Every structure is written in structure tokens, then in C-alpha cells.
Amino acid sequence: MGITFDKDSGIFHLFSDNTSYVLKLTKQKDIVHLYWGKRVMKPAVAHLLRPVMRAFAPASHLDDIEMSYDSLPLEYPFYGTGDFRSPAFQIMTPDGSLIAEPKYLSHYIIKGKPGLPGLPATYVESTDEAQTLSIILFDPLIKLKVNLVYSVFDNFDAITRHVVFVNEGTENIHLLRALSATVNFNQSDFKMIQLSGSWVRERYLHTRQIEPGITSIESSRGASSHQHNPFFVLAEKDFGEQHGHVYGFSLVYSGNFLAQVEVDQFYSTRASIGINPFNFSWLLDPGTSFTTPEAVLVYCADGLGRMSRTYHNLYRKRLCRGKFRDNKRPIIINNWEATYFDFKQDKLLEIAHQAGKLGIELFLLDDGWFGKRDDDESSLGDWVVNTKKLPKGLAGLGDKIVSMGIQFGIWVEPEMISVDSNLYRAHPDWCLHVPGRRRTESRNQLVLDLCRSDVREKIICMLKSILENAPISYVKWDMNRNMTEIRSASLDPERQAETAHRYMLGLYRILDEITSAFPDVLFESCSGGGGRYDPGMLFYMPQTWTSDNTDAINRLLIQYGTSMAYPASTMLAHISAVPNHQVHRNVPLLTRAHVAMSGNLGFQLDITKLTSQEKQVLKEQIEIYKQIRPIIQQGDLFRLLNPFECNLCAWMFVTPDKTRAVLMYCKILAEGHEPLRFVRLQGLDPAKEYRLLGTEEIYPGDVLLNAGFRLPVFIGDFQSALLRFQAI
Ligand code: DGJ
């Protein structure tokens, strides 16, 4: 890993084991992008920049009219002086000008990777793990510094980028657009892969050919959203899990984002990611700065599989934090689908008791334990226990559960306020709202204004008091609506377009304070399932409720799509009842178990209603899960059969030392006279021999990798197998 600068050629070379990223400082003091791809030993790629005289091209540089911004691959493009494509940033000065033209001023390279103030980001544990390059651009007319920051890691083939704007002048500057990264490519024969969907249908894989013009996904919901994930891939024409040039873009941010690809008139491509400029601006007072969120770029020469594993490794090891980062995650039982709001302490204790007998390790009390919350119409904000349900409070329930030998956790939704709550009656101005306009409710609730310090303080005090007064070792942090009437009573009119981003900064502050104050508590992030499943949240909460959809067949798709960017250790996967509560499908218990065992296993059903035979099956599966948990949670994932493309799904997890592997195979619908099927396994050591556990079968690694493994034949719909291989 390293970063070099060659003064004579003006070439910056950022490289990791398998990747090179090359920039050039031109004679005219522009920073242009030359190359991002497979590692080259010498970054002699200046010939890739071959400016040509073009019709209608503005003469951006009179000394060299071929170097027009119209087609120059500017590394951080600006608007108004000849580049007619989408800019990475745009400003407005007090005289109404929208033009900026920052030029190279200086640069420096340091060891390590400094944090981003107030924002989540990947990190290093020692300065030897990464190097960071800052290239400082400066617009002398408006005295704006634009600091392009890049880090390369020693152990991960990833490059991170963010930008810091500093107003060094005496006049205000409005930032109207401030993306985190833009990358130019010399070609446009790409497919764009995105993770899109809806509530209970999150992160489905969608692939489309990009064409001249703009192809984009975005969120303007005030959260990264169920609809689109802040992640996309540009894949060269011929690609698959194990081949093809693929370029991943991921944003470490939980709010409104834009991910955009533009193909220009010369079939060059510009890919960008960052805060959504829609409804965004930021007033930079003289002397102040603005930092964009971090973008994480991963290039891979051999397909999607290794790209995903690079993201998984980086996010598992250097984005997630705290003592749970490397520790096994507990097997949870959640009472939500068992009882919804209708529970009493005795029922919860019975569930916990029976769960403990099966080997479940943590009981999570979901929504409905506070205020008068017997449905979703009231009480958010009134975080006082409902003693009709829990006579001795959270502590009373928690103590009893802990005495059964299992841990206790609770659900909260701290960012929200019900109109029917004492908090709202006392502080009607504490929510996002526009005076004189309707306050649009969603799930009967409004969004607290986290731009306000008094609101943040109240939330922090409330959470501290709950966590200090009961034996709570787990918190599920939910968020069940998106933002409307986005305006903060705490901000001046010219700052109102900062509200959505300031909300995120406020949320990150709260999360930082609470997670630091309670390092022994494991936090789960949730937003009606996976409505805020993004790297920003993972920085504070290392696991996420993947989806409210617990149907195992839909989960194949959701978990497969999610795995493009996110490791299994971040995905909660629960076994639930049949018919499934979301899609009313009846899936066999073993298949429900196998799919859930491919993530952080949990349960969300009334375990007291299971037959003794079903309990026995679950007990056995829990025992198996405890054995394979390190492989699933810390191992490498290989996707083998894609359920978006066929009736089958298979993936496998392999330990880094390649001694143990778990294969999950599921066939969705039954077929008449089923053909025999083989699948080539991946990730194994060709020189080792593997025993298929539970059998006498032994296979050489190279045979499994090349000739393949014969998949079981099933009878009936929704059948699956979970197979374990052990090197001998
Ligand atoms: C939405 C979550 O995704 C569910 O798991 C559950 O916690 C409900 N909220 C509770 O209101």
C-alpha cells in the first residue's frame, strides 16, 4: 500500500495490493483522473489523457485550448467554466455567482487515517495501517479551499475519499452541492448494479445498462431508505461473481444521498456519490469548514464476489467498532411477532424461559413496554414503563430474565414523538415542522428535531436513565418513518436547507455519546427493518434488523442482495412462524432455520406454541449454529447460485484459514423429475481434503472447486440443506 507523487510528471499514484488509482496535476494546475483499476507497477498512464480539439468546447485554458473542461476528466469537477456535465460541487457567493474554479495549491501525504469530525468513517488502529493524501485546491477569487482527501489501506483493497471545504475569505459562501467522490472513466460500456426495493423488499439486486445522459438513484426521505441503498457498482460488460472488472461505490452516511452516473457525448462516464444536493445547501461563514461524508471505493478485477468480500472485511474490521466487533453475536429471541403490543410480564417470562431451554442467549423486549402504548398510536417520547404490563418495571423483568441465564435487551425509538404523548403536549415545537402548515404524521408519529441541542440532551438523558437502571445488554434502535416538513425551529432562514444533514449530525452525536457511555451494550439498528441499513449506522451499531420480512424465501433475495456490500455479521435473520406474517407463505421449519443461520440468528415467534418435535429441531439447529457461528460471522462469503436469476439459491462461508466451510443451498419451487445439479464450491484450499460432516464422505478441495459438489435432490417446495465441510 502506498501513495507516491512524481514531481516531474505530476502523477499521484495511490495503490493497494491489487489496485492502482492515478491522478495527474496538469500544467494548468488542474487535478485530473487518469486511471483506476488493476495494480500497475509504474503509473505510466499519462497517455490515457489525450485531449482533442472539440466543437463547441469552451477554451478553458488559452495556453492549451485542447484542454477544455468540456471533456477533461476533472477529479472533483466544478461548474460554470466549461464543464457542462454534472459537477461534484457548486457554490453561491453573496453576489449571486454560482461559479468556482479551484486550482491545485499544495498537497501532503501522512501516515494513518484521521477521523472525520462528527461523521462515521472507516478507521485505522495504528498509523501503519493506512496512508492519507490531501490535495488542496484553492479558488483565489472567493478564497475557497477544497481539500480532497484520500486514504489507502494496508490490508484492504479499498480507497476512501471525502472533501473538506474551508471558507478562507471574508464573505459567506453557500455550498449548494458537495458530493463525496466523483470518478471519471474513459468508456461507458457499464452496467449499473443497485440495491433497491421497498419496505419488506429491501436491497433487491437491479442491473441496468447505462446510456448517454444520467442514470441515478437517490434518497430524499431523510434516511438512506428502504427504496435505494447508498451503494452501487459499475460493472464492465462481461462480469460475474468470479470475473469481470467491477467498481463499487459506497457512502458512509445515513441520510439523503445521490448516486449518479453520467455518460457524456464522447461516451466517457462520470460516477459520483454523496449527500443529495436536492433540498441541501450549507452556509459557510468566513473561517468555517464543511466536511462531506466518506465514500468507499472498491475496484476488483475478478468480479463481484471479491469486491463484496473486500467491503465485508473492511466494514467488519474497520467500520464496526466496540467489543462486539470481533465477538460472537448472541442468538436473540424477540417478542414482536409473538405478541406485538399485547403482552404481560408472565407471557414474556414464559417465552424467555422456553427460549433459554433451547439455547437462545438473549431476550429482546420489543415495542409496547412504555406509556400507554397498546398500539402504534401513542406514547413515543414517554419512555416510562407501563406497570400494567411490567409491574416491577424493566429492572424487575430484566432481573428475572438474567436469572434464567439469558441476557436482556429492549427496543427504543428515540428519534420520534407521538402527537398523543406527554412530551408532545409539553414541547410541541420539538419536532421538525413548518409554522402554519400541517404536521404530516406517518405511523401516527412525528420526527424529533435533532438539530436542537435541548432535544438531543433530552434523548441522551432518557436513554442513560433507562440503561443505567435495568440489566440491559442489548438495545434495538428503531426509526419508523421518513421526514416531511423538513425545517428546524433552531435554524435561521438561510440555514433551513441544512436541516436534513444537521439532523444526521445530531443523530450521530447522540449515538456517539450513548454507545461510548455503554460499551458493554450491543446496539442493533433498525428502521422498519432495513430502511437505514447503511455504513453510517454500522459505525455505531454493528448489526441491523435486515428486513421486517421474515419469510425465508423472500429473505434469500434480501440477504443475497444485502451481501453485495454488507457482511453477514451485520445482518439479523430471524426464524418466524408460519404462515409468515408478511407474505403468508408456509416454509418448512428447517428451511427457515437454514436461511436465518446464514446471518446473526434470532427468533421472532411464540416459542411456547411450538410442538415438542419443533422445539427439538430448533434445539439441534441452535447447537449447530453455535458451532458454525464464527464461520458465518467472521468468515468469507461466496455467492454460488443467484436467486434473482433462477429457482435456486446457494452461498457458502469459509474460515480465513480455509479449514471449515458452510454451504447453504435452497431450492425454491419443486420440479418434476428434478435434474441432477452440481455446483463448484469456492474459497476452499485445493490442496486440502474436506469431510462432509455427518457423513463418511471425503472430497479433495480441488475436486470441490473444479468438478463441483453434487447438490441434494429435494421433494416439495422451499427445501434447503445446510452442509458443513471440515478439512482433515
Ligand atoms: C419496526 C421494526 O422493524 C419491527 O421489528 C418492530 O420493532 C416494530 N417496528 C415495532 O414497532
Side-chain angles (χ1 to χ4, degrees):
M1 156 280 288
I3 300 174
T4 59
F5 176 65
D6 179 61
K7 239 182 166 171
D8 297 333
S9 60
I11 295 247
F12 292 94
H13 186 196
L14 294 77
F15 55 92
S16 51
D17 282 353
N18 300 299
T19 307
S20 284
Y21 189 98
V22 185
L23 304 173
K24 180 176 166 65
L25 167 62
T26 66
K27 199 165 75 190
Q28 294 85 12
K29 305 258 178 245
D30 292 313
I31 299 289
V32 296
H33 182 88
L34 291 185
Y35 173 71
W36 179 28
K38 196 162 180 164
R39 172 80 189 269
V40 290
M41 287 307 153
K42 280 194 191 156
V45 289
H47 63 284
L48 296 177
L49 180 73
R50 199 166 279 165
V52 184
M53 184 67 196
R54 301 288 192 180
F56 278 78
S60 313
H61 308 102
L62 285 174
D63 61 337
D64 188 350
I65 53 171
E66 289 177 346
M67 293 284 270
S68 172
Y69 289 148
D70 194 13
S71 53
L72 213 59
L74 285 173
E75 176 68 358
Y76 198 65
F78 37 83
Y79 166 77
T81 48
D83 188 339
F84 300 107
R85 294 159 292 177
S86 259
F89 81 100
Q90 194 184 11
I91 53 95
M92 186 167 72
T93 48
D95 63 0
S97 164
L98 301 169
I99 316 299
E101 191 176 7
K103 295 280 184 177
Y104 171 87
L105 182 69
S106 61
H107 76 270
Y108 58 91
I109 297 167
I110 57 168
K111 279 176 79 174
K113 180 178 190 294
L116 276 63
L119 284 164
T122 56
Y123 60 91
V124 289
E125 289 193 330
S126 92
T127 52
D128 294 337
E129 288 183 17
Q131 280 187 31
T132 297
L133 162 70
S134 290
I135 301 178
I136 295 148
L137 312 177
F138 187 61
D139 183 323
L141 187 67
I142 57 173
K143 311 250 175 328
L144 178 68
K145 259 191 186 163
V146 183
N147 184 359
L148 312 183
V149 187
Y150 301 78
S151 296
V152 290
F153 296 88
D154 209 9
N155 295 323
F156 310 97
D157 272 319
I159 296 173
T160 63
R161 288 182 60 177
H162 71 275
V163 179
V164 184
F165 295 87
V166 189
N167 180 353
E168 300 213 321
T170 52
E171 304 221 305
N172 289 340
I173 297 175
H174 260 101
L175 273 177
L176 305 179
R177 179 181 181 99
L179 300 183
S180 300
T182 285
V183 181
N184 293 277
F185 297 86
N186 276 330
Q187 53 134 329
S188 64
D189 203 356
F190 288 119
K191 291 226 158 74
M192 178 175 174
I193 303 170
Q194 63 196 61
L195 306 179
S196 299
S198 179
W199 174 71
V200 299
R201 188 166 32 81
E202 297 94 334
R203 293 171 302 286
Y204 273 28
L205 270 187
H206 290 267
T207 304
R208 51 180 160 159
Q209 181 66 43
I210 59 166
E211 297 285 354
I214 287 177
T215 309
S216 68
I217 51 169
E218 64 179 331
S219 169
S220 52
R221 293 174 163 261
S224 48
S225 85
H226 297 90
Q227 286 70 20
H228 301 291
N229 198 261
F231 169 79
F232 70 98
V233 183
L234 282 184
E236 271 183 28
K237 203 170 174 181
D238 181 26
F239 73 94
E241 281 296 315
Q242 296 185 81
H243 72 280
H245 297 268
V246 296
Y247 301 83
F249 295 77
S250 168
L251 188 68
V252 187
Y253 190 56
S254 314
N256 296 336
F257 75 92
L258 173 69
Q260 172 179 297
V261 181
E262 180 173 9
V263 177
D264 72 9
Q265 55 181 331
F266 305 116
Y267 302 111
S268 299
T269 302
R270 176 173 283 176
S272 311
I273 196 162
I275 293 178
N276 195 342
F278 175 72
N279 263 359
F280 165 84
S281 77
W282 193 272
L283 178 57
L284 262 188
D285 288 328
T288 62
S289 66
F290 178 83
T291 303
T292 71
E294 176 171 277
V296 180
L297 313 184
V298 172
Y299 160 78
C300 195
D302 42 17
L304 295 171
R306 201 150 68 75
M307 176 206 72
S308 294
R309 287 188 292 282
T310 303
Y311 277 115
H312 295 175
N313 274 326
L314 177 62
Y315 285 175
R316 201 166 46 208
K317 295 179 181 145
R318 291 294 180 267
L319 176 68
C320 294
R321 299 174 300 162
K323 79 175 214 192
F324 298 97
R325 185 187 73 183
D326 307 321
N327 282 359
K328 63 180 186 208
R329 307 290 169 76
I331 303 172
I332 293 168
I333 186 152
N334 176 326
N335 71 306
W336 180 241
E337 286 192 17
T339 65
Y340 294 102
F341 294 100
D342 184 15
F343 58 81
K344 289 264 167 55
Q345 172 158 304
D346 287 351
K347 176 74 189 172
L348 303 179
L349 289 174
E350 185 52 24
I351 292 175
H353 174 64
Q354 297 208 17
K357 288 210 293 198
L358 298 190
I360 293 171
E361 297 158 330
L362 190 145
F363 174 85
L364 170 64
L365 172 59
D366 210 281
D367 196 355
W369 56 264
F370 52 93
K372 53 181 176 110
R373 195 155 165 94
D374 292 327
D375 51 37
D376 62 13
E377 289 180 12
S378 77
S379 304
L380 295 173
D382 298 345
W383 298 100
V384 178
V385 80
N386 177 340
T387 47
K388 282 194 203 129
K389 291 181 178 175
L390 307 178
K392 297 246 163 77
L394 289 174
L397 174 67
D399 286 341
K400 285 204 159 70
I401 286 179
V402 170
S403 72
M404 295 173 188
I406 53 181
Q407 294 171 279
F408 176 54
I410 57 155
W411 174 99
V412 287
E413 193 176 1
E415 299 161 65
M416 296 291 149
I417 184 166
S418 303
V419 173
D420 183 3
S421 68
N422 295 333
L423 187 69
Y424 189 72
R425 285 181 279 276
H427 299 286
D429 54 338
W430 273 15
C431 60
L432 296 176
H433 67 282
V434 178
R437 289 206 182 275
R438 181 190 66 229
R439 297 170 178 203
T440 307
E441 293 177 37
S442 175
R443 208 196 191 205
N444 311 300
Q445 62 200 53
L446 299 169
V447 182
L448 281 169
D449 178 359
L450 303 193
C451 305
R452 296 176 65 129
S453 55
D454 50 0
V455 172
R456 293 198 300 268
E457 261 325 294
K458 173 79 184 174
I459 293 174
I460 289 168
C461 285
M462 172 279 282
L463 286 168
K464 283 190 172 167
S465 138
I466 292 173
L467 295 177
E468 275 160 5
N469 290 303
I472 294 169
S473 38
Y474 190 92
V475 169
K476 174 179 177 184
W477 183 299
D478 205 349
M479 193 284 282
N480 281 301
R481 64 158 292 175
N482 293 136
M483 295 178 190
T484 54
E485 294 87 37
I486 301 178
R487 181 186 174 280
S488 172
S490 67
L491 297 176
D492 294 337
E494 70 270 28
R495 289 197 180 275
Q496 284 303 329
E498 298 174 13
T499 305
H501 181 58
R502 282 188 184 273
Y503 179 97
M504 292 319 308
L505 296 177
L507 174 61
Y508 291 147
R509 264 164 100 155
I510 296 171
L511 287 170
D512 198 41
E513 179 149 356
I514 292 297
T515 53
S516 314
F518 298 95
D520 295 330
V521 174
L522 174 56
F523 286 82
E524 164 189 337
S525 140
C526 172
S527 170
R532 215 166 46 184
Y533 199 139
D534 56 64
M537 283 293 134
L538 291 177
F539 184 66
Y540 304 97
M541 308 197 251
Q543 53 189 41
T544 307
W545 181 221
T546 314
S547 175
D548 272 346
N549 190 338
T550 55
D551 169 63
I553 300 305
N554 280 173
R555 274 299 186 113
L556 293 174
L557 300 163
I558 293 169
Q559 292 172 208
Y560 191 99
T562 304
S563 78
M564 274 297 140
Y566 305 103
S569 61
T570 66
M571 280 185 226
L572 281 153
H574 288 182
I575 299 172
S576 63
V578 287
N580 174 266
H581 291 198
Q582 292 78 39
V583 300
H584 296 255
R585 196 180 345 244
N586 279 293
V587 174
L589 186 55
L590 259 189
T591 301
R592 283 179 272 153
H594 293 161
V595 177
M597 288 159 77
S598 301
N600 290 350
L601 176 63
F603 293 79
Q604 143 136 241
L605 44 70
D606 189 347
I607 206 163
T608 65
K609 295 198 174 130
L610 296 181
T611 63
S612 51
Q613 199 192 357
E614 287 171 322
K615 283 186 193 149
Q616 187 52 35
V617 170
L618 290 180
K619 197 167 180 216
E620 285 163 16
Q621 295 306 310
I622 288 168
E623 269 164 29
I624 293 174
Y625 185 72
K626 287 181 179 170
Q627 290 162 26
I628 64 173
R629 174 161 46 187
I631 317 177
I632 305 288
Q633 295 182 355
Q634 304 294 335
D636 292 324
L637 171 79
F638 297 83
R639 290 179 294 258
L640 307 178
L641 294 169
N642 180 349
F644 290 96
E645 290 175 352
C646 63
N647 188 34
L648 312 168
C649 177
W651 51 57
M652 65 187 290
F653 297 88
V654 184
T655 52
D657 66 3
K658 301 179 190 293
T659 56
R660 297 172 71 199
V662 177
L663 166 67
M664 197 293 301
Y665 166 57
C666 180
K667 194 166 108 182
I668 299 172
L669 292 180
E671 300 160 288
H673 229 184
E674 179 175 349
L676 295 181
R677 289 196 174 91
F678 299 82
V679 68
R680 291 194 180 98
L681 302 191
Q682 293 179 38
L684 302 176
D685 183 342
K688 288 188 165 53
E689 295 214 306
Y690 292 88
R691 177 187 299 282
L692 177 60
L693 294 187
T695 73
E696 293 302 309
E697 295 167 33
I698 291 176
Y699 299 90
D702 59 353
V703 166
L704 292 173
L705 292 167
N706 298 308
F709 175 73
R710 204 181 115 184
L711 293 169
V713 171
F714 292 130
I715 297 172
D717 292 341
F718 319 132
Q719 300 295 321
S720 68
L722 192 86
L723 303 159
R724 289 169 290 150
F725 294 88
Q726 171 82 54
I728 51 175

